[in-house]
Amino acid sequence: VQLQASGGGLVQPGGSLRLSCAASGTFFSLDAVGWYRQAPGKERELVAGFTNDGVANYADSVKGRFAISRDNVKNAVYLQMNSLKPEDTAVYYCNADIQVVRWYSKNYWGQGTEVTVSS
């Protein structure tokens, strides 16, 4: 099982990016999912996530600008990022609890995709 993140890049302040993360391999279900980020010299932090019961939550710093969504058919999760600011610059990672087989879950990290917000 692997998580593959994509969609990062260089964008000007005020711009938008959409990150994607797809789970591949053989597994039973994709459960709680989330996006984290780590800026240089800082700890990794939760940006947005879905709990197992489908509730979305966001870091205060991105509320109203970022939106997380998921496609359960494609086993994918997305992060729409609008009104980007230089302080959003970081490597973004997707994370997921995946039931490898029914009732047995493991936590997985994607490889990270870099987002740079700069003029």
Side-chain angles (χ1 to χ4, degrees):
V1 178
Q2 288 187 326
L3 291 177
Q4 184 71 36
S6 61
L10 173 64
V11 63
Q12 291 186 343
S16 298
L17 280 175
R18 185 180 189 235
L19 306 184
S20 299
C21 177
S24 62
T26 302
F27 53 91
F28 181 76
S29 66
L30 186 66
D31 296 332
V33 294
W35 287 96
Y36 290 73
R37 68 185 179 187
Q38 187 166 20
K42 295 188 177 181
E43 293 187 354
R44 192 172 297 188
E45 63 174 354
L46 175 67
V47 177
F50 279 116
T51 61
N52 278 339
D53 54 5
V55 176
N57 52 78
Y58 297 91
D60 288 342
S61 59
V62 306
K63 283 180 181 176
R65 300 188 297 122
F66 290 12
I68 188 171
S69 62
R70 65 188 295 168
D71 184 329
N72 292 327
V73 174
K74 295 181 179 180
N75 290 313
V77 59
Y78 308 98
L79 185 68
Q80 178 65 44
M81 305 186 295
N82 299 325
S83 302
L84 282 161
K85 304 175 181 180
E87 50 264 43
D88 295 317
T89 295
V91 178
Y92 285 70
Y93 298 89
C94 57
N95 177 271
D97 288 331
I98 296 176
Q99 284 193 57
V100 181
V101 295
R102 189 102 186 247
W103 310 125
Y104 177 70
S105 292
K106 292 180 68 174
N107 186 262
Y108 291 86
W109 288 95
Q111 85 284 9
T113 185
E114 189 166 4
V115 173
T116 302
V117 185
S118 175
S119 54

